[in-house]
Amino acid sequence: MQNLCLAIVLSPLLGALVSGLFGKKIGRAGAHWVTTIGVGVSFALSLVVFLKLIIWDEPVFNQNLYLWLSTGGLNFYVGFLIDELSATMMLVVTFVSWMVHIYTIGYMRDDPGYQRFFSYISLFTFSMLMLVMSNNFLQLFFGWEAVGVVSYLLIGFWFKKDTAIYANLKAFLVNRVGDFGFLLGICCVFMYFGSLDYGTAFSMAPGIQDEVMAVMPGYEWSVMTVMCLLLFVGAMGKSAQVPLHVWLPDSMEGPTPISALIHAATMVTAGIFMVARMSPLFELSEVALSTVLIIGSITAFFMGLLGLVQSDIKRVVAYSTLSQLGYMTVALGVSAYAAGIFHLFTHAFFKALLFLAAGSVIMGMHHQQDMRKMGGLKKYMPITYWTSLIGSLALIGFPGFSGFFSKDAIIEAVHLSHIPGAGIAYYAILSGVFITALYSFRLVFLVFHGEERFDEKTRSHLHESPVVVTVPLMLLAILSVGSGAVAITPMLFGGFFGDGIYVAASHDVLAELGTHYHGVLGMMIHGLSQPPFWLAAAGVFTAWFCYLRRPDLPAKAVGLAGTLHKLLLDKYGFDRFNDWFFAGGTRRVGQLFFRLGDVAIIDGAVVNGSAKVVSWTSQITRRLQSGLLYHYAFAMILGLIFLLIVFVHQILLAN
């Protein structure tokens, strides 16, 4: 198993190094072959590991590979923990990344940074694998930060665009806020457990459940609550939860393949995976669980609303990602960790599909991204259309598609939960079903149906995307249909994750939900009578009526909405507030320190001040050097008199 694990993480790294360092020598074809094969090997070996654990019942692998650092009697190791949770994430990450690599061959074929892009996405895959395979907090943090650094490079890949530079800087800084909280949480773990090893921390956690710490004088908090909330701040940054969500829509400035990679199975799901991995800690703090639940429900509902007013095809899909991440976070908050990971699993396929389909549309439209300038593309791009439709049906949770099983499971789990805030969260995510269906099929109808809103030149060049683009679309479409039905029974009700996820008996809503589960077909039939299905159907009908039947209605609705529409366009003011308060405030503080510290103290007092002292001293001392002999003789007489006075004074003191 150890050799398998090393091969899984090192294959993408080798491809990244070869493509990045020797890209000019191996050429464009060499770059995509070495990286695509590297990630393909990683996927194949991840599949072998998955089968070993799930099918062949091999024991969980938890082993340190080598000692990285030893100080003060403390040892820090690099090691792997391969259980059902890790194996699932490895399979999802490597498969989606492999599809993105293949897709990139067609999408980026004319880009001058071709080799560099393949190097980045392969390095991104390596970083994510190190994150999900780690067996300790230090290695987890390494993968966590590595993913952030590479995402910075990828979002700003087109570094000559001002918007791309702004977007990657924004992503980097916002994630630093979350990562600071995450680092404090890791420090808290080390302070109370004396170790950064998962197994050690989880086994010791029940012993400090009742311990308190003084966050502020006179205010005592549970140690577990503080620890879990700090760790969750890191998840809020990586998984883009309100208010640390602002970076994710702007990350659309990067090429479409990286949008799919970041938003589908990798970076944004790192926070979801981390909280699920830390379930033995979070189960000891109901306050932390309730906080996770409320933050997730706010994100699911309010970020979904923003998708209704977007005209950029990629940003619509981006806001859907924010909303679905909210659903996953809500599942974590009600201790339905398996449901959250299950939705992560299904979401990876249909969200990657939607992004890659959007990229296919952008290629066909000569990099036009405004949906208002599209329409009627169904007949020109049939494969893109049908795969996009499948992805949209999975996203809205239509019965039979993968998203139906995972999303409905989360909604029912929240309905059964007694965690504080579960009632509000239930209605928030239930409302989100209608919103999701509305903006999803608004995209489908505006892009693929209705009248053609583009010029003759664009029409003359419209055609289906090449095979390297359509094959990943079709493979992801198959998984968007079938993965949910195949995985729901073992993942939610079959003890699939084993000891990888811990749930307290008092919080086990999935166990209660399992008493009402009567198989895949039974769930589908039952779903047809439940509110989520009718809300989704209402959203699809509303989109059809407003954008195909009565296309004049949206403009009238905008006029009636007035302030609300402006608020949504303004993204609730988060960006303006961040630019004014955090970015602007930081600049103002920097300017203050510049004027006081640099200009006044360093330049003024130290540098210029010392120069003035030297100048003043020289002005005085140079007058002593007159060049006249009688002046020097007079000075010598004065010196002699001074010495005589001192000598006489010493004699008098001696007597």
Side-chain angles (χ1 to χ4, degrees):
M1 182 68 82
Q2 177 178 320
N3 292 333
L4 274 176
C5 292
L6 286 172
I8 288 169
V9 296
L10 293 180
S11 293
L13 178 62
L14 178 63
L17 292 175
V18 172
S19 179
L21 299 177
F22 307 103
K24 291 183 178 179
K25 293 184 178 180
I26 63 176
R28 298 165 74 88
H32 72 237
W33 276 112
V34 71
T35 52
T36 304
I37 291 174
V39 175
V41 168
S42 187
F43 166 67
L45 296 179
S46 296
L47 183 60
V48 172
V49 170
F50 185 83
L51 294 174
K52 281 177 173 287
L53 287 171
I54 307 303
I55 306 300
W56 302 327
D57 291 325
E58 289 199 8
V60 170
F61 178 80
N62 185 8
Q63 185 175 319
N64 295 321
L65 269 66
Y66 66 90
L67 180 63
W68 180 66
L69 178 67
S70 182
T71 178
L74 300 172
N75 297 323
F76 301 99
Y77 293 92
V78 173
F80 295 133
L81 169 59
I82 310 300
D83 58 5
E84 293 81 0
L85 178 59
S86 296
T88 302
M89 290 296 299
M90 289 159 60
L91 200 62
V92 171
V93 168
T94 52
F95 179 75
V96 173
S97 179
W98 193 34
M99 293 296 102
V100 169
H101 276 70
I102 296 171
Y103 178 94
T104 301
I105 296 172
Y107 190 87
M108 301 289 289
R109 62 180 184 272
D110 299 322
D111 197 282
Y114 192 81
Q115 296 98 314
R116 178 166 56 93
F117 188 81
F118 273 99
S119 176
Y120 287 172
I121 58 177
S122 197
L123 185 60
F124 192 96
T125 307
F126 159 76
S127 303
M128 191 65 192
L129 286 171
M130 288 296 292
L131 189 157
V132 301
M133 295 170 66
S134 64
N135 70 345
N136 61 83
F137 285 91
L138 185 65
Q139 189 176 329
L140 171 70
F141 189 71
F142 163 76
W144 194 270
E145 291 300 301
V147 167
V149 171
V150 183
S151 69
Y152 169 83
L153 297 174
L154 284 165
I155 295 170
F157 180 77
W158 289 321
F159 52 83
K160 294 183 179 180
K161 290 174 60 180
D162 291 339
T163 52
I165 296 171
Y166 176 81
N168 73 347
L169 186 60
K170 187 177 185 178
F172 191 81
L173 293 177
V174 172
N175 274 278
R176 295 292 71 73
V177 174
D179 293 353
F180 181 67
F182 187 52
L183 185 59
L184 290 177
I186 293 174
C187 292
C188 192
V189 168
F190 185 72
M191 183 170 67
Y192 282 93
F193 300 136
S195 172
L196 294 179
D197 180 74
Y198 289 162
T200 304
F202 297 162
S203 62
M204 294 177 64
I208 66 166
Q209 183 177 359
D210 298 324
E211 287 195 27
V212 296
M213 62 188 301
V215 181
M216 293 184 292
Y219 295 91
E220 291 185 336
W221 280 51
S222 164
V223 169
M224 293 308 306
T225 297
V226 173
M227 187 183 298
C228 291
L229 288 179
L230 288 172
L231 291 173
F232 181 63
V233 171
M236 289 172 64
K238 275 290 183 288
S239 294
Q241 299 295 292
V242 174
L244 300 181
H245 68 283
V246 294
W247 68 270
L248 194 140
D250 286 358
S251 68
M252 296 297 98
E253 292 296 332
T256 300
I258 194 53
S259 299
L261 198 58
I262 289 177
H263 289 221
T266 51
M267 182 173 173
V268 295
T269 58
I272 307 299
F273 164 79
M274 185 271 291
V275 175
R277 173 64 79 197
M278 305 304 152
S279 57
L281 304 180
F282 279 83
E283 285 299 290
L284 300 177
S285 174
E286 197 163 277
V287 174
L289 288 175
S290 184
T291 303
V292 172
L293 174 62
I294 295 298
I295 294 293
S297 62
I298 291 172
T299 304
F301 178 75
F302 288 101
M303 294 302 105
L305 287 175
L306 295 182
L308 297 172
V309 298
Q310 303 300 314
S311 56
D312 186 306
I313 186 173
K314 287 173 63 177
R315 286 185 179 266
V316 174
V317 186
Y319 278 107
S320 80
T321 300
L322 283 173
S323 181
Q324 298 309 303
L325 288 169
Y327 277 85
M328 299 176 204
T329 305
V330 164
L332 302 175
V334 297
S335 296
Y337 304 99
I341 297 298
F342 180 38
H343 194 49
L344 184 159
F345 176 77
T346 60
H347 175 265
F349 304 128
F350 64 73
K351 186 51 57 72
L353 172 60
L354 287 171
F355 266 113
L356 298 186
S360 179
V361 170
I362 294 169
M363 288 175 64
M365 294 291 298
H366 297 280
H367 297 282
Q368 174 61 257
Q369 297 183 197
D370 193 336
M371 298 187 300
R372 296 169 297 184
K373 298 179 181 179
M374 300 179 186
L377 295 184
K378 177 184 175 181
K379 64 181 180 182
Y380 300 102
M381 309 180 76
I383 297 175
T384 301
Y385 167 71
W386 286 108
T387 53
S388 184
L389 181 63
I390 289 171
S392 297
L393 289 170
L395 174 61
I396 71 172
F398 192 83
F401 291 80
S402 61
F404 162 76
F405 299 100
S406 56
K407 185 183 283 189
D408 272 38
I410 292 174
I411 293 171
E412 290 301 317
V414 175
H415 191 50
L416 294 172
S417 175
H418 300 290
I419 298 289
I424 298 172
Y426 174 72
Y427 289 106
I429 60 176
L430 200 60
S431 303
V433 173
F434 172 81
I435 297 167
T436 301
L438 180 54
Y439 66 64
S440 296
F441 275 82
R442 171 177 174 264
L443 184 154
V444 171
F445 294 141
L446 282 176
V447 173
F448 297 103
H449 293 271
E451 63 179 15
E452 299 174 1
R453 297 179 296 277
F454 43 82
D455 56 33
E456 190 62 36
K457 183 180 178 182
T458 303
R459 184 180 293 106
S460 64
H461 291 92
L462 267 175
H463 58 83
E464 187 59 87
S465 298
V467 175
V468 290
V469 172
T470 56
V471 168
L473 292 180
M474 289 185 284
L475 291 174
L476 288 167
I478 293 170
L479 290 169
S480 298
V481 175
S483 60
V486 173
I488 182 171
T489 302
M491 277 195 175
L492 296 192
F493 311 113
F496 177 87
F497 294 107
D499 295 330
I501 290 175
Y502 169 75
V503 182
S506 58
H507 297 158
D508 199 352
V509 290
L510 290 181
E512 185 177 351
L513 183 62
T515 61
H516 306 287
Y517 177 70
H518 302 291
V520 171
L521 185 60
M523 184 175 180
M524 290 171 59
I525 295 172
H526 179 70
L528 294 174
S529 63
Q530 295 303 298
F533 171 75
W534 292 107
L535 285 168
V540 174
F541 175 79
T542 304
W544 170 82
F545 189 79
C546 290
Y547 295 98
L548 292 183
R549 186 70 175 176
R550 291 286 305 279
D552 59 306
L553 286 181
K556 293 180 180 179
V558 168
L560 292 172
T563 304
L564 177 60
H565 183 256
K566 291 179 181 178
L567 182 65
L568 294 177
L569 284 177
D570 195 37
K571 307 170 202 173
Y572 307 115
F574 277 108
D575 281 342
R576 285 195 299 109
F577 178 77
N578 288 334
D579 287 341
W580 172 78
F581 185 79
F582 291 108
T586 303
R587 285 195 299 270
R588 287 189 288 272
V589 170
Q591 289 171 355
L592 178 64
F593 279 112
F594 166 73
R595 290 169 182 159
L596 290 178
D598 196 42
V599 176
I601 298 175
I602 297 175
D603 286 345
V606 178
V607 178
N608 296 334
S610 59
K612 290 178 179 178
V613 169
V614 171
S615 176
W616 177 77
T617 305
S618 64
Q619 290 287 338
I620 295 175
T621 54
R622 74 178 181 178
R623 294 178 181 177
L624 300 177
Q625 302 295 323
S626 65
L628 299 175
L629 183 61
Y630 64 88
H631 285 172
Y632 299 149
F634 183 69
M636 293 174 62
I637 293 170
L638 290 178
L640 183 61
I641 293 171
F642 177 74
L643 291 174
L644 288 172
I645 293 172
V646 172
F647 179 71
V648 172
H649 182 261
Q650 292 294 327
I651 293 175
L652 292 175
L653 289 176
N655 295 328

